[in-house]
Amino acid sequence: MTLSDKLFIDGTWRKSASGRTTKLVNPATEEVFGEVEAADVSDVNMAVESAHRAWESGWRDMTPGKRTEILFNVARKLREHIEELGQLEMLQIGKPVSDARDEAGLGARCFEYYAGAVTKFCGQTVPVSRGGFDFTLRQSMGVVAAIVPWNFPFPIAAWKTAPALAAGNCVVLKPASLSPLTALKLGELAHAAGLPSGVLQVLPGSGSAIGDALVTHPLVRKVSFTGSTEIGRRIMELASRDIKRVSLELGGKSPNIVFADADWERAAESSPMSVFANTGQDCCARSRMFVERSIFEPFVEKFVAATKKLVVGDPTKTETQLGPMVSASQRAIVEEFLADARRRGSKFVCGGGRPHPKGYYLEPTVLLDVGKEDRCWKEEIFGPVVAITPFDDEAQMLRDVNASPYGLSGSIWTNNLSRALRVSRAVQSGVLSINSHSSVHVEAPFGGFKQSGLGRDLGMAAMEGYTEMKNVYVGE
Ligand code: NAD
Ligand code: MN
């Protein structure tokens, strides 16, 4: 497989102005397998300007029918390359190949959904009191900067790019430095499928080197960011200068709440993957478990048994459920959390160590007796670590759930309908699931409350976020 290793600007491959590159390391083997050009500020300027030209000179005013056709062609092209996209994702971040293939499919599905959305996203007519005729228009913004993380590189790139393009914008996509390959492939395939040059630019490079230039570029009208709360805060600050639109999908510390009246055995068997999938590097990871006291002990026993059955290892094997962590430094961060838990006297029921000598592996780790003021309870760990705690009283449990500054996702397990509805209203979170662990549906809005973010990805809500609303009044 030949790697795309340059910047994708104006429909062609370009070397970076600085000549700097980023080495790519396979997290499963610790071996360098490639090198990709790293954009600098002059590349950002070129990409944004060319995206702006592409917007003004055609994409903005293209008929909805034609734009739909192109986006469906992009989706078809992506579907033809699912295996290649999956392999690239696996190589660069160590994602188990079965998950990587599924996520490549999810990216293609995004383009299908938003190809269809082009002609179904409408304004309104408004009966204004003075008579006449009043209507709203949803108009594209211009250049959108999409900045994405390394944990779900391809699907998140797709779920920002597809609605932004469908709404008539041009996109400058910046992947994380650890995961440029599937973003570059998206640019290449979209272009091959008929997306005009300049409509989608892909700029690999480090956030600290080009982030500010991209966010503050006067022609960038909206920044759509997914990543840490820390960087999200910085982007919002920079965007405030020009009152740029921002959407931010940030960190999480999501609860998994199990009541004694639930099918708690099913909850116990399925819950390990709600936190350990993607080796815990998941913004929606259910990293705080609240289990009603009367079932606490048998629940933990079943949860741990299910955890021990998880297949941790070589991401190239289809049966693998958990691969390595993305990098040595990400694992070191998680190991610091574990050291803190040890110092604080938390109980390690399983895990805590490195299961393989080579690769950035870390065992799925189950902690009990984690104090409400401990780092492992309060902070996003972003690794395969869960803290399980018993609760007696629903109201107190909800206060503990909502004490977090985050509010992204969560699960509620109960067979009592009124409790399910009551608790789902009370939990301060943008996304919840009842008797399930799913968080992401292409068709439904996704995003956070509180410090988990601002704005929504996916569904028709994303189309709103990539347009300006204009009101037009026509006198009689
Ligand atoms: P990160 O914030 O370190 O990086 C995200 C992106 O921002 C990368 O492309 C990075 O290069 C770029 N960046 C870094 N500094 C920048 C700057 N100064 N200006 C502009 N861009 C800059 O996040 P990460 O480590 O890649 O991902 C992990 C984080 O992402 C976790 O906190 C996780 O919860 C969050 N996340 C959230 C969601 C969600 O939808 N809410 C989804 C996935 C990941
Ligand atoms: Mn980071």
Side-chain angles (χ1 to χ4, degrees):
M1 191 162 34
T2 54
L3 301 181
S4 314
D5 59 0
K6 299 195 173 51
L7 321 181
F8 192 72
I9 300 177
D10 233 355
T12 57
W13 298 111
R14 284 175 195 274
K15 286 177 128 357
S16 78
S18 69
R20 273 184 306 116
T21 60
T22 315
K23 286 197 166 55
L24 298 176
V25 177
N26 179 340
T29 62
E30 305 187 21
E31 276 156 18
V32 174
F33 68 92
E35 225 175 325
V36 170
E37 304 267 335
D40 78 4
V41 173
S42 59
D43 302 308
V44 168
N45 293 337
M46 185 197 290
V48 172
E49 280 155 27
S50 133
H52 189 257
R53 272 197 305 278
W55 178 65
E56 275 191 332
S57 68
W59 189 247
R60 175 181 64 185
D61 301 314
M62 184 177 278
T63 63
K66 183 69 187 160
R67 197 181 298 147
T68 299
E69 184 189 322
I70 292 175
L71 293 177
F72 270 122
N73 287 342
V74 173
R76 193 172 314 116
K77 196 62 136 184
L78 295 176
R79 287 219 179 273
E80 288 163 12
H81 290 79
I82 280 183
E83 186 56 29
E84 188 179 356
L85 288 161
Q87 293 290 332
L88 289 172
E89 202 85 304
M90 178 190 75
L91 212 56
Q92 63 184 359
I93 60 160
K95 191 180 289 277
V97 70
S98 313
D99 292 348
R101 286 183 186 124
D102 287 351
E103 289 170 24
L106 176 65
R109 172 90 191 93
C110 254
F111 275 88
E112 284 153 4
Y113 177 82
Y114 288 108
V118 172
T119 49
K120 294 163 197 71
F121 182 64
C122 338
Q124 292 181 314
T125 60
V126 186
V128 292
S129 55
R130 66 177 297 170
F133 188 80
D134 189 282
F135 63 97
T136 63
L137 288 174
R138 286 288 189 173
Q139 295 190 308
S140 62
M141 298 168 148
V143 181
V144 169
I147 304 177
V148 301
W150 47 261
N151 63 335
F152 293 94
F154 184 71
I156 294 179
W159 82 41
K160 292 191 183 305
T161 302
L165 296 179
N169 305 286
C170 292
V171 174
V172 177
L173 170 63
K174 196 204 88 61
S177 9
L178 295 171
S179 53
L181 297 178
T182 43
L184 289 167
K185 195 46 91 179
L186 173 62
E188 181 187 344
L189 293 174
H191 188 251
L195 196 72
S197 297
V199 172
L200 172 59
Q201 323 270 28
V202 188
L203 284 188
S206 99
S208 53
I210 59 170
D212 286 12
L214 182 57
V215 171
T216 57
H217 195 294
L219 290 175
V220 168
R221 292 312 313 151
K222 160 147 189 175
V223 182
S224 177
F225 174 78
T226 296
S228 60
T229 296
E230 181 197 349
I231 305 291
R233 194 173 282 124
R234 161 118 190 118
I235 285 174
M236 196 169 171
E237 238 171 72
L238 290 176
S240 74
R241 296 180 189 172
D242 294 348
I243 319 294
K244 279 188 186 160
R245 280 65 178 137
V246 287
S247 64
L248 305 170
E249 299 286 353
L250 310 175
K253 192 74 188 174
S254 297
N256 188 355
I257 304 165
V258 186
F259 288 94
D261 68 26
D263 180 350
W264 63 265
E265 304 202 338
R266 192 160 70 87
E269 275 155 19
S270 61
S271 287
M273 280 303 270
S274 80
V275 56
F276 299 137
N278 213 39
T279 321
Q281 303 163 121
D282 181 349
C283 53
C284 294
R286 273 61 163 176
S287 53
R288 294 184 298 157
M289 284 216 66
F290 299 80
V291 180
E292 201 164 358
R293 190 169 312 264
S294 61
I295 54 161
F296 184 72
E297 276 172 32
F299 181 92
V300 170
E301 197 175 309
K302 249 194 190 310
F303 182 101
V304 170
T307 299
K308 286 181 174 162
K309 279 196 217 135
L310 295 177
V311 183
V312 183
D314 184 353
T316 64
K317 300 213 164 95
T318 47
E319 66 272 19
T320 295
Q321 289 169 285
L322 309 187
M325 300 203 59
V326 73
S327 65
S329 60
Q330 190 63 31
R331 181 173 64 180
I333 291 170
V334 177
E335 287 179 334
E336 254 174 59
F337 275 99
L338 296 180
D340 187 71
R342 282 195 189 90
R343 278 195 297 275
R344 299 232 163 210
S346 294
K347 183 172 169 200
F348 285 63
V349 196
C350 67
R354 300 181 175 186
H356 300 295
K358 202 136 196 98
Y360 310 125
Y361 290 94
L362 190 60
E363 286 167 342
T365 304
V366 180
L367 302 177
L368 303 182
D369 303 330
V370 179
K372 301 274 182 294
E373 295 304 316
D374 293 358
R375 285 190 64 204
C376 283
W377 186 259
K378 292 172 83 167
E379 296 175 34
E380 182 183 49
I381 300 175
F382 226 57
V385 183
V386 70
I388 314 185
T389 190
F391 72 90
D392 300 291
D393 173 57
E394 181 183 306
Q396 181 57 45
M397 177 273 294
L398 286 170
R399 279 193 290 277
D400 291 337
V401 164
N402 289 333
S404 173
Y406 295 114
L408 186 56
S409 189
S411 300
I412 301 161
W413 291 81
T414 176
N415 279 328
N416 178 322
L417 179 62
S418 28
R419 172 176 286 146
L421 297 177
R422 185 171 68 237
V423 173
S424 53
R425 278 224 279 232
V427 174
Q428 294 164 355
S429 174
V431 177
L432 287 172
S433 50
I434 298 169
N435 297 332
S436 141
H437 293 302
S438 96
S439 294
V440 171
H441 310 267
V442 173
E443 305 80 3
F446 176 81
F449 279 24
K450 302 193 280 187
Q451 291 184 34
S452 285
L454 187 73
R456 292 294 177 270
D457 279 328
L458 300 174
M460 287 309 231
M463 294 291 283
E464 290 173 19
Y466 289 114
T467 51
E468 295 281 8
M469 182 157 62
K470 180 181 284 177
N471 190 69
V472 182
Y473 175 74
V474 188
E476 283 180 303

